[in-house]
Amino acid sequence: MKKTFLLVIAGISLAFSTFQASAANDPLPVFDKSRTAIVITDPQNDFLAPDGKLHGLLAENLKELNTVANIETLMKTAKSKGLALAVDPLIYNALDVDWSRAGALQRQLLDMGALQRVSGKAGNFQGSGADFYGPYKPYIHDGKTIVVAPHKMYGPESNDLIYQLRARGIDTVILGGLVANLCVDSHMRALMENGFKVYVVKDAVAAPGADAYKAALVNYSMIANGVLTTGEVTRALGH
Amino acid sequence: MKKTFLLVIAGISLAFSTFQASAANDPLPVFDKSRTAIVITDPQNDFLAPDGKLHGLLAENLKELNTVANIETLMKTAKSKGLALAVDPLIYNALDVDWSRAGALQRQLLDMGALQRVSGKAGNFQGSGADFYGPYKPYIHDGKTIVVAPHKMYGPESNDLIYQLRARGIDTVILGGLVANLCVDSHMRALMENGFKVYVVKDAVAAPGADAYKAALVNYSMIANGVLTTGEVTRALGH
Amino acid sequence: MKKTFLLVIAGISLAFSTFQASAANDPLPVFDKSRTAIVITDPQNDFLAPDGKLHGLLAENLKELNTVANIETLMKTAKSKGLALAVDPLIYNALDVDWSRAGALQRQLLDMGALQRVSGKAGNFQGSGADFYGPYKPYIHDGKTIVVAPHKMYGPESNDLIYQLRARGIDTVILGGLVANLCVDSHMRALMENGFKVYVVKDAVAAPGADAYKAALVNYSMIANGVLTTGEVTRALGH
Amino acid sequence: MKKTFLLVIAGISLAFSTFQASAANDPLPVFDKSRTAIVITDPQNDFLAPDGKLHGLLAENLKELNTVANIETLMKTAKSKGLALAVDPLIYNALDVDWSRAGALQRQLLDMGALQRVSGKAGNFQGSGADFYGPYKPYIHDGKTIVVAPHKMYGPESNDLIYQLRARGIDTVILGGLVANLCVDSHMRALMENGFKVYVVKDAVAAPGADAYKAALVNYSMIANGVLTTGEVTRALGH
């Protein structure tokens, strides 16, 4: 991508070779651990469990990138290095199917009952498609992880993620989760509109197919403050 | 559309052919003209004028899609059909280069002086890279078009677009402008997070290269309420 | 209040006599029931139950205004007239006490454990200070009421209230609840910044003392689209 | 402070004497100058110039508090101590009178032409009611002050204030300006919802009459992180 980009821009190639260099992540960004959070969007069964309603859409990408393990590495790293960890789920209430203005994919998710809270029988939430992916629960339920209210579309505009981060003096986010070009991209954009520095972890996400993953990468590299691998994150936080 | 999508969950490749089918827009959406606005992002010289600082990046895509003419058609249609027209520019102030937290591309735009308001000499704004593209000015300056304050990143979070639309009872947006995967995509997402219905006009946008355009299309079709051509918009509003 | 206001303004008394007239609510506003919601903030035990942690602060005002009964009348009216009813609680999680930037009263609420979700033992939520006030539960838990995620400060910026209303095409809010000059005022302001029409029900609120109630009234009458009594609401919706 | 408040919950009257005690600001807050901005709302002719359209409403309060001089002291202090200074005006465009959903006072301001940008003749802006108050211009136009786009209602939700502050790493605001219970209060609330620490300068504001000023004070002292006098601000920043 970068090469074609360079060809296109003609007179301002200098600017974009800088751009390219910066994408090499050499040197790694320096994070102030007291001001940085690792944020994982939608680490839930319907995306990650083999029988999740949306797992099939992401399966190829999840496998190629080793996403499930990489997200766990990020969670583990947050805990061992003393960074704030926040998880931001997508959960629909039973009533949400009433929305008259839902977008294309959102409408489909609502109609197929994905990510839906079984209303009236709280006991059923445990292990449901909307519940957190089992292997991540020890990190999420350790009494320290910030579990924000569900977002309702793709970004954090309708929940308390930004408030929770700001209320703790956090101004930088290392971001991963599901789905690469939807909730992860929307979180990147919304957090940056709010003045956060955002670094996206490109192998701790997954998209529904190669085109959607490529779309996510194109946008991450133009918009974010940086795009990193899980390995680069752990190295950057290792010191 | 929904039924085919549900079948799809089993097999990924099927999902996306279905997905494309949904883009056929048959039948066309029915717009309530008193509640619908046409919104154009960044119709400015640095993107659209042949000597604009960013024109080279978009040139190929602008030509292929016939974007410049299509945006004019949308503006003309808003006027002839009595819909609200809003333009939402991206303009940096001289001081904005101080931002310590700018994203990758944003930093470069600031450093190269693109879309920048020449400070201290208001007279110089006329015809500058940040000024509106000349051929559109008759529509923009007719005393009826809503010209909102510049956004500062890619979405309308930092300006009065949403307030201006809501204050007029508008709840549906037909969206085009520059840049397809950046400001147009960010506007689509932010407007939808706010509960607007958004229809993106896929040939009234332009992206920096084929990959970025493809990225925009992937996201439009999953997220928006609909993806239309300029011709479909004029037909839908024709009645 | 209005008279002094008129004296002060001298030359533009005409404008403000209009203002005064409009405050008389004669005639009553006409509500489009399909686009109007009744929204109640913080109808929770810690405010409303006699043993609630903050009940003492509000007791005098609650009694004078007959607030508890008036809120119930509003809920009942929403149900009988087919309007959307939304409740928007204030609940702190155990972790929220970590906030390093809490405001004056917010810090005190956190330290005294008011409105706090007992973490780890979901069963204990029932009947706690953070739980909904018992007599309102039949309205809140009827499977139709929109129960949004807790807000974290005083307004709906950190939850899904605005999204839930917009997603249903609602653009007008009839507002009551606790505390008059805090969450009710903040909801009024935030909803109006978002372009909603807001009518505040001045006897379906309560404040911590006479000064705070007067403060709320001053702001409602200058800012809102209208200030009504519960009786006026039921009459306006009666037709 | 906290202990006394806890005692209070039993007896209401005690609560508020405690509350006032907390306003003693002893010791003064410690500001990190690189992270703190002084923000002044609406320092414009229609409020502050003797012939301003709204000056009569505020005159008594302006005189009692010595507001005009105090705001200048805050601006001067920002400059001499190296803090960021931001001004956030309220300006209506000619088209804004079309708003179908304006609130009570907002409607009147629109109808009386207060704070309105004379459209089509930019030259006329200079010295108009919407222009900045003359004596403040040397501070505002020094090429360093952050002049954000006009807000449209009372808070900064519809402009770039929050983005401009966050983009510079600012997380604390010292707040003054006009009108005490409207734009100043709305800015306090909105900034705090966004996680800023906010200190309001109670003698660098003015309200339309004694009741409105009292309303502002009641809300500042409950909501803000602190309430200071101009003298306390200069002392706190003196070191």
Side-chain angles (χ1 to χ4, degrees):
Chain A
M1 180 193 86
K2 272 170 238 145
K3 258 178 209 158
T4 6
F5 211 63
L6 281 165
L7 293 178
V8 173
I9 53 154
I12 48 166
S13 55
L14 220 83
F16 287 89
S17 61
T18 304
F19 184 51
Q20 185 169 32
S22 85
N25 295 312
D26 188 8
L28 291 171
V30 177
F31 293 107
D32 175 344
K33 287 171 198 171
S34 69
R35 295 189 162 276
T36 304
I38 293 181
V39 175
I40 307 294
T41 59
D42 304 5
Q44 295 161 267
N45 283 326
D46 267 348
F47 293 115
L48 295 171
D51 62 343
K53 287 199 179 65
L54 304 162
H55 185 263
L57 283 165
L58 307 176
E60 207 178 297
N61 217 220
L62 284 168
K63 196 175 160 189
E64 265 177 36
L65 298 170
N66 201 25
T67 306
V68 174
N70 286 335
I71 290 176
E72 185 166 359
T73 299
L74 291 179
M75 290 182 166
K76 210 179 291 190
T77 302
K79 297 301 169 186
S80 66
K81 299 299 176 187
L83 277 80
L85 172 66
V87 293
D88 184 345
L90 171 56
I91 305 178
Y92 299 116
N93 298 327
L95 270 184
D96 294 351
V97 297
D98 291 353
W99 295 340
S100 60
R101 316 182 67 75
L105 185 58
Q106 196 185 21
R107 183 73 268 158
Q108 300 189 5
L109 296 176
L110 289 165
D111 289 345
M112 65 192 281
L115 301 159
Q116 209 157 119
R117 187 189 302 280
V118 183
S119 76
K121 323 175 192 173
N124 288 357
F125 184 73
Q126 198 100 349
S128 75
D131 194 9
F132 292 119
Y133 180 56
Y136 296 161
K137 287 189 175 181
Y139 308 103
I140 294 174
H141 294 320
D142 71 345
K144 297 287 178 189
T145 296
I146 304 166
V147 181
V148 302
H151 53 280
K152 287 294 166 174
M153 229 193 148
Y154 303 115
E157 285 89 340
S158 54
N159 74 10
D160 56 328
L161 177 67
I162 287 177
Y163 187 78
Q164 293 286 4
L165 298 178
R166 290 298 188 193
R168 289 167 171 85
I170 290 165
D171 58 18
T172 302
V173 166
I174 297 170
L175 180 66
L178 293 308
V179 173
N181 63 314
L182 300 173
C183 294
V184 178
D185 187 327
S186 281
H187 274 70
M188 171 187 67
R189 293 179 196 245
L191 288 166
M192 293 187 73
E193 295 286 345
N194 198 279
F196 287 89
K197 274 192 170 173
V198 179
Y199 295 82
V200 189
V201 191
K202 67 179 173 187
D203 57 2
V205 301
D211 282 351
Y213 183 60
K214 223 165 132 185
L217 288 186
V218 165
N219 290 330
Y220 298 165
S221 53
M222 290 195 195
I223 296 174
N225 292 87
V227 184
L228 302 168
T229 61
T230 301
E232 288 172 326
V233 171
T234 56
R235 277 208 307 283
L237 295 172
H239 329 291
Chain B
M1 179 182 86
K2 270 168 240 154
K3 257 178 211 160
T4 12
F5 191 77
L6 281 165
L7 293 177
V8 157
I9 306 297
I12 302 162
S13 53
L14 250 170
F16 288 90
S17 60
T18 302
F19 213 57
Q20 262 147 27
S22 83
N25 295 310
D26 189 9
L28 290 171
V30 177
F31 294 107
D32 174 345
K33 287 171 197 171
S34 69
R35 295 189 162 275
T36 304
I38 293 182
V39 174
I40 306 294
T41 59
D42 305 3
Q44 295 161 267
N45 283 324
D46 268 348
F47 293 116
L48 295 171
D51 61 344
K53 285 197 181 65
L54 304 163
H55 185 262
L57 283 165
L58 307 176
E60 206 178 295
N61 217 219
L62 284 169
K63 196 174 158 189
E64 266 177 34
L65 298 170
N66 201 24
T67 307
V68 174
N70 286 337
I71 290 176
E72 185 165 0
T73 299
L74 291 179
M75 290 181 167
K76 209 180 288 190
T77 302
K79 298 302 169 186
S80 66
K81 299 300 177 186
L83 276 80
L85 173 66
V87 292
D88 185 345
L90 171 55
I91 306 179
Y92 299 116
N93 297 328
L95 269 184
D96 293 351
V97 295
D98 292 354
W99 294 340
S100 61
R101 316 183 66 75
L105 185 58
Q106 197 185 20
R107 181 73 268 158
Q108 299 190 5
L109 295 177
L110 289 165
D111 289 345
M112 66 192 280
L115 301 161
Q116 208 156 119
R117 187 188 301 281
V118 184
S119 76
K121 325 175 191 174
N124 287 358
F125 184 75
Q126 198 100 350
S128 75
D131 194 9
F132 291 119
Y133 180 56
Y136 297 161
K137 286 189 176 181
Y139 308 102
I140 294 173
H141 295 319
D142 71 345
K144 297 287 178 190
T145 297
I146 304 166
V147 182
V148 302
H151 52 280
K152 289 294 166 174
M153 232 195 146
Y154 303 115
E157 284 89 339
S158 54
N159 74 9
D160 56 328
L161 177 67
I162 287 178
Y163 186 78
Q164 293 286 4
L165 298 178
R166 290 298 187 193
R168 289 167 171 84
I170 290 165
D171 59 16
T172 301
V173 166
I174 297 170
L175 180 68
L178 293 308
V179 173
N181 63 313
L182 300 174
C183 294
V184 177
D185 187 330
S186 281
H187 274 70
M188 170 187 68
R189 292 178 196 246
L191 288 165
M192 293 186 73
E193 294 285 346
N194 200 278
F196 287 90
K197 272 192 172 175
V198 178
Y199 295 82
V200 189
V201 192
K202 68 179 173 187
D203 58 2
V205 300
D211 281 351
Y213 183 59
K214 223 165 130 185
L217 288 187
V218 165
N219 289 330
Y220 298 165
S221 53
M222 290 195 196
I223 296 174
N225 292 87
V227 184
L228 302 168
T229 62
T230 301
E232 288 172 327
V233 171
T234 56
R235 277 209 308 282
L237 295 171
H239 328 292
Chain C
M1 180 192 89
K2 271 170 236 145
K3 257 178 211 157
T4 5
F5 209 66
L6 280 165
L7 293 179
V8 172
I9 52 153
I12 49 168
S13 55
L14 220 84
F16 287 89
S17 61
T18 304
F19 184 49
Q20 187 169 33
S22 83
N25 296 312
D26 188 9
L28 290 171
V30 177
F31 294 107
D32 175 344
K33 287 171 197 169
S34 69
R35 296 189 162 276
T36 304
I38 293 182
V39 174
I40 306 294
T41 58
D42 305 4
Q44 295 161 267
N45 283 324
D46 267 347
F47 294 115
L48 296 171
D51 61 345
K53 287 198 179 66
L54 305 162
H55 185 263
L57 284 164
L58 307 176
E60 207 178 296
N61 217 218
L62 285 168
K63 196 175 160 188
E64 267 178 36
L65 299 170
N66 201 23
T67 307
V68 173
N70 287 335
I71 290 176
E72 185 165 358
T73 299
L74 291 179
M75 290 181 167
K76 211 180 288 190
T77 302
K79 298 302 168 187
S80 66
K81 300 300 176 187
L83 278 79
L85 173 66
V87 292
D88 184 346
L90 170 56
I91 306 177
Y92 300 116
N93 297 327
L95 270 184
D96 293 352
V97 296
D98 293 354
W99 294 340
S100 60
R101 316 183 67 76
L105 185 58
Q106 196 185 21
R107 180 75 268 157
Q108 300 189 4
L109 296 176
L110 290 165
D111 289 345
M112 66 191 280
L115 300 161
Q116 209 156 116
R117 186 188 301 281
V118 184
S119 75
K121 325 174 190 171
N124 287 358
F125 184 73
Q126 198 100 348
S128 74
D131 195 8
F132 292 118
Y133 180 56
Y136 296 161
K137 286 190 176 181
Y139 308 103
I140 294 173
H141 295 318
D142 72 344
K144 297 288 179 187
T145 297
I146 304 166
V147 182
V148 303
H151 53 280
K152 289 294 167 173
M153 226 188 154
Y154 303 114
E157 285 89 340
S158 54
N159 74 9
D160 56 327
L161 177 68
I162 288 178
Y163 187 78
Q164 293 287 3
L165 298 178
R166 291 298 188 193
R168 288 168 172 84
I170 290 164
D171 57 18
T172 301
V173 166
I174 297 170
L175 180 67
L178 295 308
V179 173
N181 63 314
L182 300 173
C183 294
V184 178
D185 187 328
S186 282
H187 274 71
M188 172 188 67
R189 293 179 196 246
L191 287 165
M192 293 186 73
E193 295 284 346
N194 199 278
F196 287 88
K197 273 192 170 171
V198 178
Y199 295 82
V200 189
V201 191
K202 66 180 173 186
D203 58 3
V205 302
D211 282 351
Y213 183 60
K214 223 166 130 185
L217 288 187
V218 166
N219 289 331
Y220 298 166
S221 54
M222 291 195 196
I223 296 174
N225 293 86
V227 184
L228 303 168
T229 61
T230 301
E232 288 172 326
V233 171
T234 56
R235 278 208 306 283
L237 294 171
H239 326 293
Chain D
M1 180 181 89
K2 272 169 239 151
K3 261 179 209 157
T4 11
F5 192 76
L6 283 165
L7 294 177
V8 154
I9 306 299
I12 302 162
S13 55
L14 250 173
F16 288 90
S17 60
T18 301
F19 213 57
Q20 261 146 27
S22 83
N25 294 310
D26 189 9
L28 291 170
V30 177
F31 293 108
D32 175 344
K33 289 172 196 170
S34 69
R35 295 189 162 275
T36 304
I38 293 181
V39 175
I40 307 294
T41 59
D42 305 5
Q44 294 161 266
N45 283 324
D46 268 347
F47 293 115
L48 296 171
D51 62 344
K53 287 198 180 64
L54 304 162
H55 186 262
L57 282 165
L58 307 177
E60 207 177 296
N61 218 219
L62 285 168
K63 197 175 158 190
E64 267 177 33
L65 299 170
N66 201 24
T67 307
V68 174
N70 286 336
I71 290 177
E72 185 166 359
T73 299
L74 291 179
M75 289 181 166
K76 210 179 288 191
T77 303
K79 297 302 170 187
S80 67
K81 299 299 177 188
L83 276 80
L85 173 66
V87 293
D88 184 347
L90 171 56
I91 306 178
Y92 299 115
N93 298 327
L95 270 185
D96 294 351
V97 297
D98 292 352
W99 293 340
S100 61
R101 315 183 67 74
L105 185 58
Q106 194 185 22
R107 179 75 269 156
Q108 299 191 4
L109 296 176
L110 289 165
D111 289 344
M112 66 191 280
L115 302 161
Q116 209 158 118
R117 187 188 300 282
V118 184
S119 75
K121 323 173 192 173
N124 287 0
F125 184 73
Q126 198 101 348
S128 75
D131 195 8
F132 292 118
Y133 180 56
Y136 297 161
K137 286 191 175 179
Y139 308 103
I140 294 173
H141 294 319
D142 71 345
K144 297 287 179 189
T145 297
I146 304 167
V147 182
V148 303
H151 53 279
K152 289 295 166 174
M153 231 196 146
Y154 304 114
E157 285 89 341
S158 54
N159 73 9
D160 56 327
L161 177 67
I162 287 177
Y163 187 78
Q164 293 287 1
L165 297 178
R166 289 297 187 194
R168 288 166 171 86
I170 290 164
D171 58 17
T172 301
V173 166
I174 297 170
L175 179 67
L178 293 310
V179 174
N181 63 314
L182 300 174
C183 293
V184 177
D185 187 328
S186 281
H187 274 70
M188 171 188 68
R189 292 178 197 247
L191 288 166
M192 292 186 74
E193 294 286 345
N194 199 279
F196 286 89
K197 273 192 170 174
V198 178
Y199 295 82
V200 188
V201 191
K202 67 178 172 187
D203 58 2
V205 302
D211 282 351
Y213 183 59
K214 223 165 129 186
L217 288 187
V218 165
N219 289 329
Y220 298 166
S221 54
M222 290 196 196
I223 296 174
N225 292 87
V227 184
L228 302 168
T229 62
T230 301
E232 287 173 326
V233 171
T234 55
R235 278 209 306 285
L237 294 172
H239 327 291

